[in-house]
Amino acid sequence: MAKLRSGELGSLPGIILVILLWAIFQGLHPQFLSPRNLSNLSVDIVGTGMIALGIAFVLLIGQVDLSVASVSGFTAAVFAVLNVNNGVPEWLAIVAALLAGAAIGAVQGFFSARIGIPAFVVTLAGLLAWNGLMLYILGASGTINLHEEGLVHALTTYYFHDPAVAYGLAALSVAAFLLMSYRDTRRRRAFGVLSRPLSVIAVRTGAVALVAFAAAYVLNRFEGLPLAVLIFLLFVVVLDFVLRRTFYGRKIYSIGGGAEAARRAGISVVWLRISAFMMSGTLAAVGGLFLASRVAAVGQTSGSVILLINAVAAAVIGGVSLFGGRGTTWSVVLGMLVIQSIASGMVLLGIPTPMQSVITGGVLLAAVALDSLSRLSQKAHGRA
C-alpha cells in the first residue's frame, strides 16, 4: 500500500485493463472467452511477446530499440533462405538466425554505447537497413514457405494433448512461487529487513494458483497446452531470474536508475548497454522464428512497423518504464495480454484493422502518461 500511495503502480493498471477488456469483449461477443479463442490468443502473443522481452532489457537501461521488428523479419528470412532455399540443416539455420540477431544487437549497441550516437538514431537506421536486407535476400518471389514437417513450423502448431501436462505445469508454477516467496521472506528476516507476513504470501500464492489452474483448465478444454506457450513461459521465468536474481540483472536496473551513479560505482556501463542491445537482437530473432511459424512463411510483410508498435506498447502498457529502472518480464506478459486481447476482440466483432491501431495507440499514450505521472509522484515522495 505504501508503494501505491507514493505512485509506484507497477502492473496494477495492466491487470485492471485486462479485466476490463475481457469483460467488455465477452459482453459484446459470447465467444471471446471460449477455450478456442483464449488458446489461439495465448499462441498469438508468443512471437511479439518474445520481441517485447528483448525491448524490456533496452527500456530498463533507459534506451529504446526501434529496429526489433526489422531484425525479426531479417533473421527469419536468413533462416528461411538457408534452410528452405539452400538445404542447410534446420538446427544450423536456427543458430545462424540467432547469431545474426545477437550480432546486429552488438553492432547497434556499440554505436550507441561506445561511439555515443543516440540509440534512437542508431536503431532507426537499423529499422530501414535490416528491412531492406530482408527484402533483398528474399528475392524476386518475396515469400518463402516453411517446411511443414520442420521444427520451426511445429513451434506454434504442436500441442500437449494430455491434460496432466498443463495441470502439472500449473502445480509446478505454484510450488515454485510459494518456495521462492518463503525463501525471500526468511532471507529478509535474517537480515532484519521488512518482509511480507506469511498471511500475505498465502494470499498471493492462492491468487497464482487460481490463475494457473484456471488457465490449465481452459487450455485443456481445447487442444491442451501449446508448445509455444510453454517455451514463452520458460523464457519469461529464466529472464526474470536473470534480471532480479543475478548481479548482471541488478546492474541493468542500476543503469536505468542512473547511468552516471552506476559508472561511479564501478559498473561497466558501456558493456552492459551493449549486452542489453544484444539481448534485444537475439530475442527479436527468436520472435521472428515464432512469427514465421505462425503463418508458415517469411514474406515481405514480416517485420512490419505495426509489429514494432505492438512490441513496444506491450512492454510499456505492462509496466516497464520508458524512463528506465522499473519493470519485469512479467510486465511484458501482461502487456501482451492487453495488446492481443484488443486484436482478438476486434476480429471477433468485425471491426476494421485500422481501428485496432487507433485503440492500441490510445492505450499506449495512456500508459506512458500514467508512467510519467507515477514518476512525478515518486519524486515528490523521494522514491525516484
Side-chain angles (χ1 to χ4, degrees):
M1 292 301 294
K3 289 184 177 181
L4 290 178
R5 285 194 294 269
S6 66
E8 191 170 339
L9 301 178
S11 297
L12 182 61
I15 294 173
I16 294 174
L17 188 54
V18 169
I19 294 173
L20 286 176
L21 284 172
W22 285 19
I24 292 171
F25 282 128
Q26 178 64 18
L28 295 174
H29 198 291
Q31 291 301 310
F32 181 79
L33 293 180
S34 66
R36 173 187 291 273
N37 190 58
L38 290 180
S39 180
N40 289 333
L41 187 153
S42 70
V43 176
D44 288 337
I45 72 174
V46 175
T48 308
M50 288 290 191
I51 298 173
L53 286 175
I55 285 180
F57 275 79
V58 177
L59 291 178
L60 286 173
I61 62 171
Q63 302 293 324
V64 67
D65 188 349
L66 300 179
S67 69
V68 286
S70 295
V71 173
S72 73
F74 171 69
T75 52
V78 168
F79 164 80
V81 169
L82 289 176
N83 177 240
V84 179
N85 290 1
N86 296 300
V88 174
E90 189 171 26
W91 70 269
L92 188 57
I94 292 174
V95 171
L98 298 180
L99 289 177
I104 290 171
V107 170
Q108 295 183 158
F110 175 81
F111 277 101
S112 175
R114 175 62 70 181
I115 306 301
I117 304 174
F120 176 87
V121 177
V122 174
T123 57
L124 180 60
L127 181 153
L128 299 173
W130 308 123
N131 184 68
L133 281 176
M134 178 195 73
L135 297 176
Y136 176 77
I137 66 174
L138 284 176
S141 65
T143 300
I144 300 176
N145 296 320
L146 303 183
H147 295 306
E148 293 186 0
E149 68 279 5
L151 172 61
V152 171
H153 186 273
L155 287 175
T156 56
T157 58
Y158 185 83
Y159 290 78
F160 296 95
H161 298 294
D162 188 347
V165 177
Y167 287 124
L169 179 62
L172 181 62
S173 301
V174 174
F177 179 83
L178 176 60
L179 178 62
M180 294 299 294
S181 299
Y182 180 68
R183 287 184 61 187
D184 279 350
T185 296
R186 288 191 59 185
R187 186 181 298 111
R188 294 175 72 88
R189 286 180 177 176
F191 286 99
V193 181
L194 185 65
S195 61
R196 292 190 180 95
L198 293 179
S199 58
V200 174
I201 293 177
V203 171
R204 287 164 61 92
T205 303
V208 171
L210 179 62
V211 173
F213 281 97
Y217 172 75
V218 170
L219 292 175
N220 281 332
R221 287 187 60 196
F222 182 55
E223 293 283 350
L225 176 67
L227 173 63
V229 173
L230 175 60
I231 296 175
F232 183 52
L233 291 177
L234 287 175
F235 268 82
V236 170
V237 170
V238 171
L239 293 177
D240 179 68
F241 179 85
V242 169
L243 282 174
R244 298 204 288 178
R245 307 283 178 174
T246 66
F247 287 118
Y248 170 77
R250 295 187 185 103
K251 290 176 181 178
I252 289 289
Y253 280 110
S254 69
I255 292 176
E260 181 59 25
R263 186 187 66 79
R264 291 178 181 273
I267 295 174
S268 178
V269 174
V270 171
W271 155 244
L272 285 168
R273 282 177 170 169
I274 293 175
S275 71
F277 279 97
M278 289 179 67
M279 289 293 296
S280 181
T282 304
L283 288 167
V286 175
L289 294 176
F290 274 92
L291 290 169
S293 172
R294 195 60 171 150
V295 297
V298 179
Q300 295 181 348
T301 58
S302 299
S304 64
V305 175
I306 294 298
L307 174 60
L308 168 64
I309 294 172
N310 286 342
V312 174
V316 176
I317 291 171
V320 180
S321 176
L322 280 173
F323 301 99
R326 289 205 324 273
T328 68
T329 57
W330 293 103
S331 303
V332 173
V333 177
L334 188 59
M336 277 308 308
L337 281 175
V338 172
I339 296 298
Q340 200 55 48
S341 294
I342 293 173
S344 178
M346 293 285 189
V347 171
L348 288 176
L349 296 175
I351 298 175
T353 302
M355 286 305 299
Q356 178 185 333
S357 299
V358 172
I359 294 176
T360 301
V363 173
L364 175 58
L365 178 60
V368 174
L370 193 61
D371 184 32
S372 299
L373 293 173
S374 173
R375 185 175 177 83
L376 290 174
S377 179
Q378 289 181 64
K379 284 184 176 180
H381 288 80
R383 297 178 65 93

XYZ file of all heavy atoms in Angstrom, residues 220-285:
514
model
N -6.941 -27.033 -21.636
C -7.267 -28.457 -21.792
C -8.643 -28.674 -22.408
O -8.916 -29.741 -22.956
C -7.194 -29.167 -20.439
C -5.771 -29.492 -20.033
O -4.897 -29.676 -20.883
N -5.517 -29.556 -18.737
N -9.498 -27.685 -22.335
C -10.819 -27.813 -22.951
C -10.763 -27.647 -24.462
O -11.730 -27.958 -25.158
C -11.789 -26.780 -22.354
C -12.225 -27.103 -20.934
C -13.297 -26.141 -20.470
N -14.487 -26.209 -21.315
C -15.443 -25.292 -21.325
N -15.323 -24.200 -20.569
N -16.485 -25.417 -22.113
N -9.614 -27.169 -24.975
C -9.467 -27.053 -26.430
C -8.509 -28.136 -26.929
O -8.901 -29.273 -27.119
C -8.982 -25.647 -26.805
C -8.840 -25.434 -28.280
C -9.910 -25.659 -29.141
C -7.633 -25.020 -28.823
C -9.788 -25.479 -30.513
C -7.488 -24.832 -30.192
C -8.564 -25.066 -31.040
N -7.249 -27.835 -27.112
C -6.288 -28.802 -27.642
C -5.233 -29.212 -26.613
O -4.423 -30.088 -26.876
C -5.581 -28.221 -28.873
C -6.477 -28.015 -30.081
C -6.777 -29.315 -30.803
O -6.134 -30.333 -30.483
O -7.658 -29.322 -31.684
N -5.222 -28.543 -25.477
C -4.192 -28.812 -24.487
C -3.184 -27.666 -24.427
O -3.418 -26.579 -24.962
N -2.056 -27.911 -23.773
C -1.039 -26.880 -23.608
C -0.249 -26.694 -24.898
O 0.391 -27.633 -25.378
C -0.087 -27.271 -22.470
C 1.093 -26.336 -22.225
C 0.616 -24.975 -21.720
C 2.084 -26.958 -21.248
N -0.247 -25.483 -25.483
C 0.543 -25.245 -26.697
C 2.044 -25.233 -26.381
O 2.462 -24.675 -25.360
C 0.074 -23.859 -27.166
C -1.209 -23.602 -26.435
C -1.078 -24.321 -25.137
N 2.828 -25.823 -27.254
C 4.274 -25.813 -27.080
C 4.796 -24.382 -27.050
O 5.700 -24.056 -26.266
C 4.941 -26.585 -28.228
C 6.474 -26.537 -28.291
C 7.077 -27.177 -27.044
C 6.975 -27.221 -29.561
N 4.238 -23.519 -27.879
C 4.687 -22.132 -27.949
C 4.539 -21.432 -26.601
O 5.425 -20.683 -26.170
C 3.899 -21.371 -29.025
N 3.421 -21.665 -25.935
C 3.174 -21.035 -24.634
C 4.163 -21.557 -23.598
O 4.689 -20.790 -22.780
C 1.725 -21.291 -24.181
C 1.501 -20.785 -22.757
C 0.752 -20.615 -25.138
N 4.432 -22.852 -23.626
C 5.394 -23.435 -22.683
C 6.777 -22.807 -22.866
O 7.429 -22.417 -21.887
C 5.473 -24.950 -22.887
C 6.523 -25.687 -22.044
C 6.250 -25.500 -20.560
C 6.555 -27.173 -22.406
N 7.220 -22.688 -24.111
C 8.540 -22.091 -24.382
C 8.563 -20.628 -23.950
O 9.538 -20.160 -23.333
C 8.883 -22.219 -25.874
C 9.024 -23.692 -26.264
C 10.171 -21.460 -26.195
C 9.238 -23.918 -27.750
N 7.499 -19.905 -24.245
C 7.427 -18.490 -23.869
C 7.520 -18.315 -22.357
O 8.267 -17.455 -21.853
C 6.133 -17.884 -24.396
C 5.977 -16.411 -24.124
C 6.978 -15.516 -24.475
C 4.835 -15.917 -23.524
C 6.843 -14.158 -24.226
C 4.684 -14.558 -23.275
C 5.689 -13.676 -23.625
N 6.785 -19.124 -21.617
C 6.816 -19.036 -20.161
C 8.201 -19.378 -19.616
O 8.650 -18.772 -18.637
C 5.759 -19.948 -19.548
C 4.303 -19.519 -19.771
C 3.346 -20.554 -19.183
C 4.044 -18.148 -19.141
N 8.875 -20.342 -20.230
C 10.236 -20.674 -19.809
C 11.165 -19.479 -20.013
O 11.990 -19.164 -19.143
C 10.756 -21.885 -20.589
C 10.155 -23.241 -20.204
C 10.675 -24.335 -21.137
C 10.489 -23.598 -18.756
N 11.034 -18.807 -21.149
C 11.839 -17.609 -21.396
C 11.533 -16.537 -20.357
O 12.453 -15.874 -19.838
C 11.559 -17.065 -22.802
C 12.487 -17.585 -23.860
C 12.271 -18.819 -24.458
C 13.577 -16.841 -24.264
C 13.127 -19.304 -25.437
C 14.447 -17.303 -25.243
C 14.223 -18.542 -25.828
N 10.257 -16.344 -20.062
C 9.858 -15.313 -19.098
C 10.453 -15.604 -17.723
O 11.015 -14.717 -17.064
C 8.318 -15.226 -19.004
C 7.897 -14.334 -17.830
C 7.734 -14.686 -20.300
N 10.351 -16.857 -17.280
C 10.848 -17.234 -15.952
C 12.367 -17.104 -15.882
O 12.921 -16.547 -14.925
C 10.410 -18.669 -15.604
C 11.117 -19.164 -14.345
C 8.898 -18.739 -15.423
N 13.062 -17.625 -16.891
C 14.530 -17.582 -16.888
C 15.025 -16.138 -16.933
O 15.927 -15.743 -16.171
C 15.103 -18.388 -18.067
C 16.607 -18.148 -18.194
C 14.829 -19.872 -17.880
N 14.444 -15.317 -17.797
C 14.880 -13.926 -17.912
C 14.498 -13.121 -16.669
O 15.224 -12.187 -16.278
C 14.290 -13.288 -19.164
C 14.807 -13.867 -20.483
C 14.107 -13.211 -21.672
C 16.322 -13.677 -20.607
N 13.385 -13.467 -16.040
C 13.016 -12.823 -14.776
C 14.055 -13.140 -13.701
O 14.453 -12.265 -12.925
C 11.633 -13.294 -14.334
C 11.210 -12.664 -13.015
O 10.972 -11.439 -12.983
O 11.140 -13.394 -11.997
N 14.512 -14.390 -13.674
C 15.565 -14.779 -12.733
C 16.850 -14.009 -13.022
O 17.515 -13.520 -12.104
C 15.820 -16.287 -12.836
C 16.908 -16.774 -11.919
C 16.629 -17.098 -10.597
C 18.217 -16.902 -12.375
C 17.634 -17.536 -9.744
C 19.223 -17.338 -11.537
C 18.936 -17.660 -10.206
N 17.195 -13.886 -14.300
C 18.412 -13.163 -14.682
C 18.343 -11.708 -14.225
O 19.318 -11.162 -13.677
C 18.622 -13.233 -16.208
C 19.717 -12.267 -16.656
C 18.974 -14.649 -16.631
N 17.197 -11.075 -14.426
C 17.069 -9.661 -14.098
C 17.004 -9.403 -12.595
O 17.580 -8.431 -12.101
C 15.827 -9.074 -14.771
C 15.937 -8.755 -16.263
C 14.588 -8.326 -16.821
C 16.978 -7.678 -16.514
N 16.317 -10.264 -11.870
C 16.061 -9.966 -10.462
C 16.923 -10.752 -9.477
O 16.956 -10.411 -8.292
C 14.586 -10.193 -10.152
C 13.659 -9.291 -10.954
C 12.341 -9.090 -10.280
N 11.502 -10.285 -10.319
C 10.303 -10.358 -9.752
N 9.847 -9.327 -9.079
N 9.584 -11.453 -9.843
N 17.613 -11.787 -9.970
C 18.356 -12.639 -9.031
C 19.845 -12.725 -9.327
O 20.545 -13.486 -8.676
C 17.779 -14.067 -9.063
C 16.280 -14.155 -8.849
C 15.913 -13.995 -7.402
N 14.475 -14.023 -7.195
C 13.891 -14.010 -6.008
N 14.633 -13.988 -4.916
N 12.574 -14.003 -5.897
N 20.330 -12.006 -10.312
C 21.753 -12.081 -10.652
C 22.373 -10.686 -10.580
O 21.678 -9.669 -10.663
C 21.979 -12.656 -12.060
O 21.454 -11.742 -13.043
C 21.297 -14.010 -12.210
N 23.702 -10.646 -10.449
C 24.408 -9.374 -10.427
C 24.213 -8.630 -11.747
O 24.099 -7.399 -11.769
C 25.905 -9.610 -10.166
C 26.200 -10.005 -8.747
C 26.770 -11.239 -8.466
C 25.905 -9.149 -7.693
C 27.041 -11.604 -7.162
C 26.178 -9.511 -6.386
C 26.749 -10.741 -6.118
N 24.202 -9.383 -12.845
C 24.005 -8.760 -14.146
C 22.680 -8.009 -14.192
O 22.617 -6.846 -14.618
C 24.051 -9.813 -15.242
C 23.626 -9.306 -16.605
C 24.494 -8.537 -17.380
C 22.350 -9.575 -17.108
C 24.100 -8.047 -18.618
C 21.952 -9.093 -18.337
C 22.827 -8.328 -19.091
O 22.428 -7.839 -20.318
N 21.606 -8.662 -13.757
C 20.298 -8.031 -13.785
C 20.217 -6.806 -12.896
O 19.638 -5.773 -13.275
N 20.810 -6.894 -11.712
C 20.783 -5.750 -10.803
C 21.537 -4.556 -11.395
O 21.156 -3.400 -11.190
C 21.376 -6.141 -9.450
C 20.548 -7.203 -8.713
C 21.067 -7.432 -7.313
N 20.347 -8.531 -6.668
C 20.832 -9.756 -6.513
N 22.045 -10.034 -6.952
N 20.122 -10.686 -5.927
N 22.610 -4.848 -12.134
C 23.357 -3.771 -12.781
C 22.540 -3.130 -13.898
O 22.613 -1.916 -14.122
C 24.676 -4.313 -13.323
C 25.678 -4.687 -12.234
C 26.929 -5.321 -12.828
C 27.905 -5.722 -11.733
N 29.113 -6.388 -12.287
N 21.753 -3.937 -14.610
C 20.863 -3.397 -15.648
C 19.889 -2.408 -15.028
O 19.690 -1.291 -15.540
C 20.095 -4.541 -16.350
C 21.017 -5.367 -17.231
C 18.926 -3.974 -17.168
C 21.499 -4.679 -18.479
N 19.286 -2.792 -13.905
C 18.360 -1.888 -13.211
C 19.080 -0.637 -12.726
O 18.535 0.476 -12.775
C 17.699 -2.595 -12.030
C 16.555 -3.495 -12.406
C 16.672 -4.883 -12.305
C 15.342 -2.968 -12.845
C 15.617 -5.718 -12.640
C 14.275 -3.795 -13.178
C 14.418 -5.174 -13.072
O 13.371 -5.989 -13.408
N 20.306 -0.803 -12.228
C 21.033 0.348 -11.682
C 21.360 1.369 -12.765
O 21.323 2.578 -12.517
C 22.321 -0.126 -11.000
O 23.257 -0.622 -11.942
N 21.670 0.903 -13.974
C 21.940 1.832 -15.081
C 20.680 2.613 -15.416
O 20.724 3.820 -15.665
C 22.456 1.068 -16.310
C 23.841 0.491 -16.036
C 22.508 1.987 -17.536
C 24.388 -0.345 -17.157
N 19.540 1.936 -15.428
C 18.286 2.627 -15.693
C 17.956 3.638 -14.624
O 17.346 4.677 -14.894
N 18.362 3.350 -13.378
C 18.110 4.286 -12.291
C 19.016 5.501 -12.327
O 18.686 6.546 -11.773
N 20.178 5.370 -12.973
C 21.120 6.488 -13.066
C 22.446 5.996 -13.594
O 23.225 5.383 -12.863
N 22.714 6.256 -14.880
C 23.919 5.726 -15.520
C 25.196 6.286 -14.896
O 26.173 5.565 -14.692
C 23.888 6.031 -17.023
N 25.197 7.580 -14.580
C 26.399 8.189 -14.014
C 26.700 7.636 -12.632
O 27.857 7.353 -12.299
C 26.228 9.713 -13.957
C 27.434 10.452 -13.417
C 28.700 10.212 -14.217
O 28.595 9.883 -15.424
O 29.800 10.337 -13.646
N 25.657 7.470 -11.830
C 25.856 6.896 -10.498
C 26.364 5.461 -10.608
O 27.229 5.031 -9.825
C 24.549 6.932 -9.713
N 25.840 4.701 -11.585
C 26.293 3.325 -11.792
C 27.763 3.300 -12.220
O 28.543 2.457 -11.757
C 25.423 2.641 -12.847
N 28.152 4.234 -13.086
C 29.542 4.293 -13.538
C 30.481 4.605 -12.378
O 31.549 4.014 -12.246
C 29.690 5.353 -14.638
C 31.077 5.382 -15.283
C 31.201 6.556 -16.232
N 31.142 7.832 -15.515
C 32.163 8.358 -14.856
N 33.324 7.718 -14.798
N 32.033 9.521 -14.260
N 30.068 5.540 -11.519
C 30.892 5.904 -10.366
C 31.000 4.760 -9.365
O 31.950 4.709 -8.568
C 30.313 7.144 -9.682
C 30.446 8.412 -10.510
C 29.821 9.599 -9.807
N 29.934 10.800 -10.604
C 30.982 11.629 -10.584
N 32.024 11.341 -9.792
N 31.013 12.706 -11.339
N 30.021 3.845 -9.417
C 30.049 2.685 -8.525
C 30.905 1.557 -9.088
O 31.000 0.484 -8.487
C 28.633 2.183 -8.263
N 31.518 1.800 -10.242
C 32.413 0.807 -10.830
C 31.762 -0.140 -11.812
O 32.366 -1.142 -12.204
N 30.540 0.158 -12.225
C 29.831 -0.704 -13.165
C 30.225 -0.345 -14.597
O 30.303 0.836 -14.954
C 28.304 -0.558 -12.989
C 27.894 -1.077 -11.605
C 27.544 -1.299 -14.077
C 26.428 -0.851 -11.282
N 30.482 -1.351 -15.408
C 30.845 -1.127 -16.809
C 29.591 -0.802 -17.613
O 28.931 -1.685 -18.172
C 31.530 -2.375 -17.391
O 31.844 -2.179 -18.747
N 29.268 0.474 -17.660
C 28.025 0.918 -18.294
C 28.020 0.600 -19.787
O 27.007 0.139 -20.332
C 27.822 2.423 -18.054
C 26.597 2.928 -18.828
C 27.653 2.708 -16.570
N 29.155 0.813 -20.454
C 29.230 0.580 -21.900
C 28.946 -0.876 -22.231
O 28.127 -1.188 -23.111
C 30.615 0.994 -22.447
C 30.767 0.544 -23.898
C 30.803 2.492 -22.340
N 29.620 -1.797 -21.540
C 29.410 -3.216 -21.813
C 27.974 -3.638 -21.542
O 27.373 -4.373 -22.315
C 30.368 -4.061 -20.982
C 29.866 -5.450 -20.722
C 29.561 -5.997 -19.516
C 29.545 -6.462 -21.695
N 29.091 -7.268 -19.663
C 29.070 -7.578 -20.982
C 29.617 -6.513 -23.085
C 28.680 -8.754 -21.627
C 29.209 -7.680 -23.719
C 28.753 -8.781 -23.000
N 27.404 -3.161 -20.440
C 26.038 -3.557 -20.097
C 25.039 -3.017 -21.120
O 24.067 -3.684 -21.458
C 25.680 -3.076 -18.696
C 26.318 -3.897 -17.569
C 26.165 -3.194 -16.230
C 25.679 -5.282 -17.493
N 25.281 -1.825 -21.619
C 24.392 -1.293 -22.649
C 24.487 -2.123 -23.927
O 23.462 -2.428 -24.553
C 24.741 0.168 -22.939
C 24.208 1.141 -21.889
C 24.642 2.556 -22.173
N 23.948 3.504 -21.303
C 24.275 4.782 -21.185
N 25.280 5.274 -21.904
N 23.594 5.564 -20.377
N 25.691 -2.487 -24.302
C 25.854 -3.331 -25.494
C 25.163 -4.670 -25.285
O 24.482 -5.191 -26.183
C 27.352 -3.531 -25.806
C 27.980 -2.213 -26.243
C 27.533 -4.585 -26.902
C 29.483 -2.286 -26.452
N 25.314 -5.250 -24.093
C 24.696 -6.551 -23.810
C 23.182 -6.470 -23.852
O 22.503 -7.408 -24.282
C 25.155 -7.083 -22.453
O 24.595 -6.329 -21.385
N 22.606 -5.338 -23.413
C 21.155 -5.166 -23.462
C 20.659 -5.149 -24.904
O 19.630 -5.754 -25.235
C 20.747 -3.878 -22.747
N 21.399 -4.478 -25.779
C 21.024 -4.459 -27.194
C 21.219 -5.839 -27.830
O 20.464 -6.238 -28.728
C 21.826 -3.403 -27.948
C 21.282 -2.015 -27.806
C 21.798 -1.144 -26.868
C 20.231 -1.589 -28.605
C 21.288 0.138 -26.724
C 19.704 -0.309 -28.475
C 20.240 0.560 -27.526
N 22.213 -6.583 -27.358
C 22.400 -7.955 -27.848
C 21.223 -8.838 -27.443
O 20.751 -9.662 -28.234
C 23.704 -8.530 -27.311
C 24.957 -7.929 -27.929
S 26.475 -8.628 -27.241
C 26.367 -10.327 -27.865
N 20.752 -8.671 -26.214
C 19.570 -9.417 -25.770
C 18.363 -9.056 -26.629
O 17.584 -9.925 -27.032
C 19.269 -9.108 -24.301
C 20.253 -9.695 -23.319
S 20.201 -11.506 -23.273
C 18.540 -11.777 -22.668
N 18.237 -7.762 -26.937
C 17.119 -7.314 -27.763
C 17.185 -7.930 -29.154
O 16.179 -8.418 -29.685
C 17.135 -5.779 -27.857
O 16.050 -5.305 -28.632
N 18.376 -7.939 -29.756
C 18.524 -8.513 -31.087
C 18.293 -10.012 -31.112
O 17.636 -10.546 -32.020
N 18.815 -10.708 -30.098
C 18.645 -12.169 -30.040
C 17.186 -12.541 -29.860
O 16.666 -13.447 -30.546
C 19.482 -12.751 -28.888
O 20.853 -12.380 -29.045
C 19.362 -14.265 -28.858
N 16.504 -11.864 -28.947
C 15.092 -12.176 -28.704
C 14.215 -11.736 -29.872
O 13.159 -12.332 -30.118
C 14.628 -11.529 -27.397
C 15.201 -12.192 -26.141
C 14.975 -11.326 -24.913
C 14.560 -13.566 -25.935
N 14.643 -10.716 -30.611
C 13.923 -10.347 -31.833
C 14.010 -11.487 -32.846
O 13.035 -11.795 -33.553
C 14.499 -9.062 -32.426
N 15.182 -12.134 -32.912
C 15.342 -13.278 -33.815
C 14.460 -14.448 -33.380
O 13.821 -15.108 -34.214
C 16.808 -13.707 -33.849
